[in-house]
Amino acid sequence: MNTGSKSKKFLSDEGKLEEHNPEEAAFRMWLRVFVTVRWITILGILVATLVASKLLNIGFPTLSAYGICVFVALCNLLLLYQARRLRKMPADLVIRQARVWGTVHLLLDLLAFIVLLHFTGGIENPFIFYFVLHIIGASVILHYKVVYLLAMAKIVAVMLLVGLEYAGVIPHVNLVGFASPTLYQQGSYILVVLIVLGSALFAATYMATSVAGELRKSQRAVVSLSQRLLKKRTGELEQASVEIAKLEEEKNRFLRFLGIAAHDLKAPLTAIQGFLWIMLGGYSGEITDKQRNMLERSTYRIKELLNLISDLLDIPRIETGQIVEEMKQVSLGQVIKASIGDLRETAKQKKLKLDLELPPALPKIYGSAPRLQQVITNLVSNAINYTPEGSITIRVSEGKNEIQVEVMDTGIGVPADDLPRLFEDFFRASNVETKGTGLGLSISRRIVEAHGGRIWVETPCPETGKGSRFAFTLPRRIENKRR
């Protein structure tokens, strides 16, 4: 028998996670059912004894019946204890130990039933045929050869009891008021009962062991199939894990290269920009208007390149988790006010109304002030750039577990087809004519997600019916929870 395969998990009393295959789980279940059936049997014997003696006035030694109930109850408590011990056993010992304990308790039941049968009329007792139920239960857990031996033991035990009573070796207890006092000595009656009982026992044994055997074969086939599938899936997962590790390494290598390349490009461009400013300032001699125009255009282009390089430097810093090292307790209100302070003049020049709605007592959050300011500045700048007229509103609202920041405008909005890709790297909406890196929103998304929040856009804005509403959330957590 293969008991090493694993498909079902159990928690032991010590909290240790153990695994058992379906066949082992079936044995454990059978022991639990056996315990339950025993309690029902004890209750049935007690009720039958009371009904027979008190209502039907059948005379027999009831104390003996009660004593048998006590004996079976003690055996059942022992089995309950043993069944619980199976949780602490290794998987490969569960079936063997369950069969040993099951065999012992089935023999104890046989002994108890024979004794009970003796004190309740012997061959006269119609409950003698309950042996069939006992053998069906044994077929579930025991090997079929053992079940046949148990069936043989049952019929031999009954024959021995009946024979000893018939020969007068042991006294016969008559069910007074129910059966004839001489019924146990009628050979034809005894022979018929033994034949019916024996044939019923062996027929039940054959059917029950056949069904149980097929079930065990099916369980083992399922376990074998599960093993093959698990092995196949494990191989696929290992291969996928290797590929993911390679991709992750390639990604980290690219991010390192990106950071180094952007950093190396930034220094000479900054120097070139400085020299151009010197030339525009007239410190290197007089320049013509045509030369000034060309120098100013060059300065603007260099500024665009420096902005692109700054964005490219931000991506590896955020992806590698450097932003976490910058986090501390910060005032979100102050961050927002600092972000829009420099943008009010820009909005004023475009004759746009810039409103800020802050709660009176906004709590501090755990985050990076420069990075959050970068997000708000980017969202408000976009709103100003793409709003020809109207207003821009920055609103902050508090929830139970998070704080929400919204930037609403009355601008041109975002085409519906562009919404799914709006936060991707280098993506620009199709209705935008001004140039840019296309990294602002993707970097904002990375920053918000690094803080444990989320960012999204709605267009048109639900409140104004035009423009857009960009919103993001930040969790209300303190420093020690973050860590």
Side-chain angles (χ1 to χ4, degrees):
M1 179 183 299
N2 181 8
T3 60
S5 56
K6 311 289 176 67
S7 62
K8 212 166 188 178
K9 298 184 178 180
F10 298 92
L11 193 63
S12 67
D13 293 340
E14 290 80 6
K16 181 181 178 182
L17 190 65
E18 297 181 357
E19 299 181 353
H20 299 285
N21 64 35
E23 191 172 1
E24 294 158 2
F27 274 80
R28 292 163 56 89
M29 183 193 69
W30 183 89
L31 289 178
R32 292 195 298 270
V33 172
F34 192 10
V35 169
T36 303
V37 170
R38 263 185 170 173
W39 292 125
I40 295 174
T41 302
I42 292 171
L43 180 61
I45 294 174
L46 292 174
V47 171
T49 301
L50 290 172
V51 170
S53 61
K54 300 299 183 182
L55 298 181
L56 302 179
N57 296 319
I58 298 175
F60 64 95
T62 56
L63 288 179
S64 299
Y66 296 145
I68 295 298
C69 289
V70 172
F71 173 76
V72 175
L74 292 175
C75 292
N76 212 30
L77 292 174
L78 175 61
L79 181 59
L80 184 62
Y81 168 75
Q82 291 171 329
R84 290 179 177 175
R85 284 188 59 192
L86 287 179
R87 302 178 184 176
K88 306 175 184 179
M89 291 185 178
D92 56 346
L93 294 179
V94 171
I95 293 180
R96 184 172 60 186
Q97 199 63 50
R99 278 183 166 164
V100 171
W101 290 343
T103 302
V104 171
H105 283 274
L106 286 169
L107 291 175
L108 290 174
D109 283 351
L110 173 59
L111 175 63
F113 200 76
I114 287 296
V115 175
L116 179 65
L117 191 64
H118 168 64
F119 287 106
T120 55
I123 197 74
E124 301 169 0
N125 194 329
F127 290 102
I128 191 173
F129 294 100
Y130 270 29
F131 268 123
V132 175
L133 298 179
H134 194 245
I135 203 68
I136 292 175
S139 302
V140 177
I141 189 172
L142 300 182
H143 192 274
Y144 76 96
K145 292 182 179 179
V146 178
V147 179
Y148 276 103
L149 290 176
L150 183 62
M152 181 65 71
K154 288 176 183 291
I155 193 65
V156 169
V158 172
M159 292 175 63
L160 184 61
L161 172 65
V162 173
L164 292 175
E165 289 183 356
Y166 182 84
V169 177
I170 59 175
H172 170 70
V173 178
N174 175 240
L175 295 177
V176 179
F178 179 77
S180 171
T182 60
L183 184 61
Y184 75 100
Q185 291 182 329
Q186 295 180 14
S188 58
Y189 174 77
I190 294 174
L191 181 62
V192 170
V193 170
L194 291 178
I195 291 174
V196 173
L197 178 62
S199 59
L201 279 174
F202 284 103
T205 300
Y206 172 76
M207 290 187 293
T209 53
S210 298
V211 173
E214 289 301 319
L215 287 176
R216 292 192 188 105
K217 289 180 181 178
S218 300
Q219 287 173 340
R220 291 165 191 165
V222 169
V223 170
S224 178
L225 178 60
S226 299
Q227 279 186 314
R228 292 197 299 270
L229 292 176
L230 180 61
K231 186 176 180 180
K232 180 181 178 181
R233 292 288 179 254
T234 301
E236 293 176 353
L237 287 174
E238 289 176 352
Q239 181 63 29
S241 178
V242 171
E243 293 177 359
I244 291 173
K246 290 181 179 179
L247 291 174
E248 190 68 24
E249 178 60 28
E250 291 176 2
K251 174 187 173 182
N252 292 334
R253 190 182 299 113
F254 171 74
L255 290 175
R256 288 193 296 269
F257 166 77
L258 186 63
I260 294 172
H263 183 271
D264 290 344
L265 286 172
K266 189 173 185 178
L269 285 173
T270 303
I272 293 172
Q273 187 182 51
F275 286 124
L276 292 177
W277 283 341
I278 292 174
M279 295 174 68
L280 286 170
Y283 296 103
S284 60
E286 293 294 329
I287 58 175
T288 65
D289 291 341
K290 186 175 182 180
Q291 291 171 336
R292 179 177 295 277
N293 182 52
M294 295 176 66
L295 290 173
E296 287 177 349
R297 291 173 62 185
S298 298
T299 303
Y300 180 76
R301 295 301 183 189
I302 290 176
K303 182 181 178 181
E304 289 182 340
L305 284 174
L306 288 174
N307 290 336
L308 174 59
I309 290 172
S310 296
D311 290 341
L312 292 176
L313 284 172
D314 282 338
I315 293 176
R317 289 170 183 166
I318 298 172
E319 291 287 344
T320 55
Q322 294 183 24
I323 190 173
V324 178
E325 301 175 1
E326 305 172 7
M327 292 186 181
K328 59 182 179 180
Q329 293 290 329
V330 297
S331 170
L332 183 59
Q334 293 180 1
V335 170
I336 295 174
K337 290 177 181 179
S339 301
I340 66 175
D342 298 332
L343 297 173
R344 285 191 179 275
E345 184 62 30
T346 306
K348 186 177 180 181
Q349 291 176 1
K350 292 189 65 175
K351 298 181 180 181
L352 298 174
K353 184 180 179 182
L354 187 61
D355 296 326
L356 175 60
E357 300 177 7
L358 284 176
L362 192 63
K364 289 187 175 182
I365 64 169
Y366 186 67
S368 169
R371 295 298 180 181
L372 293 176
Q373 186 172 340
Q374 183 178 352
V375 174
I376 297 166
T377 300
N378 180 67
L379 295 181
V380 177
S381 296
N382 285 347
I384 293 173
N385 292 334
Y386 306 129
T387 303
E389 59 181 4
S391 64
I392 298 166
T393 303
I394 300 96
R395 178 185 297 161
V396 181
S397 56
E398 297 183 66
K400 182 178 180 181
N401 300 315
E402 60 186 16
I403 297 175
Q404 181 168 303
V405 181
E406 301 168 281
V407 178
M408 298 173 286
D409 62 60
T410 58
I412 61 175
V414 181
D417 293 340
D418 294 342
L419 288 176
R421 300 187 57 196
L422 194 60
F423 293 96
E424 294 181 4
D425 294 336
F426 303 107
F427 180 79
R428 295 183 59 76
S430 57
N431 62 339
V432 173
E433 296 180 358
T434 57
K435 296 181 179 180
T437 64
L439 290 172
L441 289 178
S442 67
I443 290 176
S444 297
R445 173 183 58 81
R446 286 183 171 92
I447 294 174
V448 171
E449 291 177 352
H451 281 78
R454 55 192 178 91
I455 186 171
W456 68 96
V457 61
E458 296 173 287
T459 184
C461 177
E463 292 189 11
T464 62
K466 55 183 177 179
S468 303
R469 177 171 72 175
F470 284 82
F472 66 91
T473 60
L474 297 172
R476 299 182 62 167
R477 60 177 69 160
I478 58 176
E479 184 174 356
N480 57 0
K481 286 186 179 181
R482 176 73 180 182
R483 291 177 180 174

